[in-house]
Amino acid sequence: MSWQRRLEEDDKRYVWHPFTQMKDYQEMEPVIIERGEGSYLIDIYGRRYLDGVSSLWVTIHGHRQKEIDRAIIEQVNKISHSTLLGLSNPPAIELAKRLVEITPQGLERVFYSDDGSTANEVALKMAFQYWQHKGYKRKTTFVSFKNAYHGDTLGAVSVGGIEVFHQSYRPLLFSVFHAEAPYCYRCPKGQTWPDCELECLRELEKILEEHHQEVAALIIEPLVQAAAGMITQPPGFLQRVRDICTRYGVLMIADEVAVGFGRTGRMFACEHEGVRPDIMVLAKGITGGYLPLAATLVTDQIYGVFLGEYHEFKTFFHGHTYTGNPLACAAALASLEVFEKKKTLEKLIPKIDLLTWRLEEFKDLPIVGEVRQKGFMVGVELVADKKTKEPFLPQDKIGIRVILEARKRGVIIRPLGDVIVIMPPLGISETELEELLEAIYQSIKTVTGEIGR
Ligand SMILES: *Cc1c(COP(=O)(O)O)cnc(C)c1O
């Protein structure tokens, strides 16, 4: 048996893959990635694939980015891990300083954790405890949005709003207020933007009008509800949410796990509307897609409330074993340096335009209902009937069929239900981007033909 066959068998025998129906997986040809190079993934047979979703939205500059490789190796030669519980390390300190410099004004303190879910847990616990320490004992709940995704740990799931992912865990969760969120293609109010004047926000206002004394914080994915299917918010929505939070004395948590680090065309999504959240949550792209690391940033005001005498127990009793891991922090610092050195955001502008222009053609395909884009985040929603917007049946597995077609054309993408996600590394070249879009376009077209449209 070849070593490749052995790996394929062992993969199916021993590994339980996340967010994957393993019964289907057992019947599929696995793709086992052994190496990477820029925008490409290379499997154990040496086949090359364009990484169309940045290895689940994390790869920023590309794979094997030499500056980041080098930073990690240099750090390995010093130390790979020491704890941040009571001790410190240079990369964690330097990165905290850099993050405070580049994030919106007012965010002054950095609390590290390992991934988006844990960083959101930190945000929720901090917000809750902030009010407890201040004597507002009734402020014990949260407002989140319908269709929201903030991670898979139980606190993060409690503020989640995606039925298929979250509903079955309801009995385990704490209850929160789920406010209406904009999904303009399928507006729950049957309205059209901008005539609607953001009517969806009235529900949020109503919740806070009645319950602000019970609400510690609101949590939002700024500009794009990513996991829900790249649902983009109309301009002005985020700013209005900020104003409402301020008006009702509710902390605003911006979960920039997906949209942060250049994805929307700006370093952080909040910048588009000049919004300053009270708490900002970062993960995914923070290390350029190299290592698990996350950060929760807060204002000095929040931080200050946790200060007190040892015996007052105002300490933030939370921490993960690998908090502030020096290898991950060194990778993150190197990634930020590459942003500057390579002018990543400047060079992204023409690529975003190219993407917008090329996506126009997708809109004519008979099963494409809507194409949503914000910077380098794209969702192509496929529908059974373009006029009525009727979705496909889950049994149709339409998204999966498209991505398997794309795979044949040397492209790796992963759908969110019936939404085809396109999220290439920011460092992708224009030629590669065109290749990627052509392959995806052809894949949708082929599947359209197969189902007789
Ligand atoms: C992916 C994601 C998370 C969860 O991050 P993990 O690193 O997978 O735990 C949280 N919030 C948003 C907006 C995300 O896209």
Side-chain angles (χ1 to χ4, degrees), residues 168 182 192 288 301 336 380 439:
S168 55
T192 323
Q301 202 205 344
L336 290 177
V380 179

Side-chain angles (χ1 to χ4, degrees), residues 196 312 375 399:
C196 63
E312 289 179 278

Side-chain angles (χ1 to χ4, degrees), residues 57 115-118 120 149-152 221 226 255 257-258 283-284:
W57 319 353
D115 49 57
S117 308
T118 52
N120 275 320
Y149 179 80
H150 299 290
D152 293 328
E221 293 166 84
D255 175 356
V257 171
K284 288 202 171 96

Side-chain angles (χ1 to χ4, degrees), residues 249-298:
V250 162
L251 296 175
M252 179 187 188
I253 303 170
D255 175 356
E256 292 233 11
V257 171
V259 294
F261 298 99
R263 267 296 146 199
T264 64
R266 305 285 284 267
M267 198 54 154
F268 300 104
C270 282
E271 290 174 28
H272 289 271
E273 305 202 356
V275 161
R276 297 184 197 168
D278 302 291
I279 302 179
M280 186 182 258
V281 179
L282 303 173
K284 288 202 171 96
I286 191 170
T287 60
Y290 269 68
L291 287 161
L293 179 72
T296 307
L297 281 85
V298 300

